[in-house]
Amino acid sequence: MRVTKHEHAALVLVESGHSLVIDPGTFTSPLDDVDNLAGIVLTHEHPDHWTPDHLTRLLTAHPGTPIYGPEGVRQAAAGFDVTTVHPGDRLDLGPFHLEFFGGEHAVIHESIPVIDNVGVLVNDQLYYPGDSYALPKHRKVALLAAPVGAPWLKIGDAIDFVLDVKPERVFATHDMTLSAAGKQMGDARLTWAVEQNGGSFVDLKPGDSVDV
């Protein structure tokens, strides 16, 4: 499976000639190079993880593509046919097997309501937690997409997340809120964390891919 990082939180996965799109939001350029789209996964309702424009563009190019997300996404994207998924759900989309974890967005501040959020494990290889540090319980992760910059994020929590998951490889995502210097510092912390359990850091820029 090939994993391509796009700006901020967006990922495009390709397996056996089919694609899966995860979290195309406001900081993400149009995804015009997607072929044979099997499905779209939205981890939660915040606009940096989905926009009507992205969904409309993808569905125009790939009519009938199923969209999956938690209840908050179904309500926020009321103009689209979103199938609700919950932690513990599993489903197959062509060559992609999905399993969902978590349930809630990380706390930003006590004044801001906590919304629905799901992490997704794809083909028992790639794990992306959305805006949370929900663990993929009892799963061995080959490649972890680890958030590194956000209003809800403390770098110590990011380090602990990588230490807890113990992936073989990790790359940084959710990073458009960081300066170049801040991104470099975050990457260094994730590198240290993954190496504590014998793993390695993969430095992916938008448009870069890695096979898993």
Side-chain angles (χ1 to χ4, degrees), residues 67-126:
I67 305 169
Y68 297 90
E71 176 62 20
V73 168
R74 190 190 67 78
Q75 295 180 19
F80 299 91
D81 185 10
V82 177
T83 299
T84 303
V85 290
H86 306 88
D89 287 351
R90 303 182 184 191
L91 60 93
D92 292 303
L93 296 174
F96 300 103
H97 176 71
L98 311 182
E99 186 173 359
F100 296 94
F101 296 85
E104 291 187 341
H105 192 287
V107 174
I108 301 172
H109 186 264
E110 62 183 10
S111 66
I112 301 174
V114 176
I115 62 170
D116 298 327
N117 178 94
V118 291
V120 60
L121 178 67
V122 183
N123 289 351
D124 295 315
Q125 295 176 308
L126 169 77

Side-chain angles (χ1 to χ4, degrees), residues 9 16 19 23 33 42 47 68 72 86 93 95 106 116 121 134 151 154 162 175 177 181 192 201 203 206:
S16 302
S19 300
D23 281 3
D33 57 347
L42 308 176
Y68 297 90
H86 306 88
L93 296 174
D116 298 327
L121 178 67
K154 183 174 74 174
V162 176
D175 51 13
T177 60
W192 177 87
F201 180 81
D203 184 14

